[in-house]
Amino acid sequence: MRWIGVLLVLLLAAPAVAVDLTTPAPAHPRLFFDAAGVDSIRARCAVAGSTHARLLAGLRTWVQGSIYPDAIGTADKTNANLESIAALWVAEADSAAADTAVKVAMWTARRGLELASTNSGHAGLSTLALAYDWCYDRFTEAQRDTVAG
């Protein structure tokens, strides 16, 4: 949870837009921002020396030091970092992060638990929703059905 502030800065950096909350957006992503917001986030993070670039570098270092993609289902913190892993895909189109987010999301969806927890995993559900939305195009149709099911 240490990086939730960083995530919010990175992900909410897109310009504010009016949102119709009565009808879901037809395309992903749609939680916190849309495709135009992703472009804005990536542009801000690409500016060398900017606050967004420095925050992204810290997030990247933390995530890369915290995830264990070969030990999904046994490693501590993997699912607890799902939103951070997915955020790397959003912020810089890191395909390795997106692939890891999909693996962790599938583990979470199949078990209904948060990896770092022994309870029902409400936190796992919220991170699963973010990863599903932000990495939607990286999931196969069968994986989407599993998550949605």
Side-chain angles (χ1 to χ4, degrees):
M1 295 308 271
R2 175 179 164 223
W3 283 94
I4 196 69
V6 173
L7 285 173
L8 290 174
V9 169
L10 283 173
L11 301 176
L12 298 178
V17 295
V19 177
D20 174 7
L21 297 178
T22 61
T23 306
H28 292 271
R30 57 186 174 206
L31 298 177
F32 293 110
F33 45 79
D34 59 12
V38 171
D39 292 341
S40 176
I41 291 165
R42 288 180 180 167
R44 291 173 189 224
C45 289
V47 176
S50 70
T51 299
H52 289 89
R54 288 191 306 273
L55 290 170
L56 174 60
L59 176 64
R60 185 184 318 108
T61 299
W62 181 74
V63 167
Q64 290 173 345
S66 301
I67 62 173
Y68 310 93
D70 295 330
I72 294 169
T74 59
D76 289 339
K77 299 185 195 174
T78 305
N79 177 270
N81 296 332
L82 181 53
E83 75 282 0
S84 300
I85 298 166
L88 285 179
W89 167 247
V90 170
E92 63 179 356
D94 181 333
S95 60
D99 293 344
T100 299
V102 168
K103 286 181 189 177
V104 176
M106 294 310 300
W107 187 93
T108 304
R110 289 184 180 121
R111 286 155 189 82
L113 298 173
E114 181 178 1
L115 183 60
S117 173
T118 57
N119 61 29
S120 63
H122 295 293
L125 180 59
S126 62
T127 60
L128 177 60
L130 290 175
Y132 178 79
D133 183 56
W134 296 347
C135 301
Y136 183 83
D137 292 337
R138 303 294 293 210
F139 285 87
T140 67
E141 192 64 39
Q143 290 170 324
R144 289 182 199 140
D145 289 345
T146 298
V147 172

